[in-house]
Every structure is written in C-alpha cells, then in structure tokens.
Amino acid sequence: MTTLKWINLMLLVLYPVAWVAPLMRAGLLPLFGLSEISVLTGLQALWGTDIVLALIVTGFALVAPYMKTVGLTLVQFQLLSRSVLPALALMGKLAMADVFLIALYITIVKGIGIGRIETAWGLYLFTACILASLLISIAETRRSAD
C-alpha cells in the first residue's frame, strides 16, 4: 500500500480525535479558570442557541472533511471513479473554511481584550488533518493527470 493511502486511512481515525481534542482554552477574565473548547463542545453550544449556524459549522467541521477523506479512500482503492476528485477537492476547501473561522474568532477575541484565550493542541491537530487531506487530494489529482 502506498504512503498516501496509509496517511489517508490514518485521517479516518485522526479526524474524530481532533473533534474531541481541545482547540482552545477560553475564559472571561484572567482571574477565572479557562474552559476547554473542542469542535464537539462548540457545536453542542451552537445547537442550543443557533441551529442554522450549527448546521453550517457541522457541515464545514465534520461532514465535509470526513466525507472527503472517505471518498478519497474509495478512489485510492479503486472503488470510486477518479472523476469525483474535483468534487472531493471542493469539499476539502470547505473544510479549510472552518479552520479559517476558528483562527478569525481567536484573533477577534484577543484583539478585543475582554477575555483570555489560548490555542490548544487540538487546533494544530485539526489543521494538520485538513492540510494533509488537501495535500493528498492534490497528489491524487496529479497522479490521475499522468
């Protein structure tokens, strides 16, 4: 099995880990302790307050990257036509939008200075999964062009 296949299969395990891993620690004032926020806890909070936004974030953070990885795995094992690679690339770009939004929120909160926010290892894992998936997609697209 090629290295790309192994990395892609590892992403099927790493994405769920990244979803429960702490993305950041946030608190209202420096005197109070920081709460850990993960993709899933953030989504859980959104479902209680804004269902439309929760659906959008669920699509960007969970559905798009995982379905892209599953689709790419099926292509790599020749169970799905390579003609779907452009659609899978689009799904990867949608997943990258979620990482951008998280970074934007961190920047805004730090800029306002009301609360305290620290990035955590889950943000780096989630970003690495998205970027690895994008690179695998690019490599597979180039391979099909040859």
Side-chain angles (χ1 to χ4, degrees):
M1 203 172 354
T2 67
T3 304
L4 288 179
K5 286 182 183 177
W6 278 112
I7 294 170
N8 202 46
L9 288 172
M10 286 189 326
L11 287 175
L12 292 172
V13 174
L14 289 175
Y15 270 123
V17 172
W19 296 334
V20 297
L23 295 174
M24 63 188 88
R25 291 175 199 82
L28 186 56
L29 297 171
L31 302 174
F32 300 108
L34 300 176
S35 300
E36 288 189 342
I37 300 168
S38 70
V39 171
L40 292 183
T41 60
L43 282 172
Q44 187 177 21
L46 274 177
W47 280 104
T49 59
D50 191 339
I51 294 174
V52 173
L53 184 58
L55 285 170
I56 292 168
V57 173
T58 299
F60 285 165
L62 304 181
V63 177
Y66 208 76
M67 292 305 295
K68 179 200 176 213
T69 304
V70 168
L72 201 49
T73 300
L74 294 173
V75 169
Q76 289 174 325
F77 285 94
Q78 300 173 354
L79 298 171
L80 189 63
S81 170
R82 297 185 81 70
S83 63
V84 301
L85 285 174
L88 294 176
L90 176 63
M91 290 177 87
K93 290 175 185 167
L94 291 176
M96 197 62 209
D98 194 55
V99 172
F100 170 75
L101 289 174
I102 293 168
L104 182 65
Y105 294 147
I106 291 171
T107 303
I108 290 170
V109 170
K110 283 187 173 193
I112 293 173
I114 293 174
R116 186 169 143 213
I117 193 163
E118 299 172 356
T119 57
W121 65 272
L123 179 62
Y124 301 107
L125 176 61
F126 186 62
T127 304
C129 287
I130 299 291
L131 291 175
S133 184
L134 284 172
L135 292 174
I136 292 168
S137 179
I138 290 168
E140 283 295 329
T141 303
R142 286 187 179 161
R143 198 178 109 194
S144 69
D146 292 340

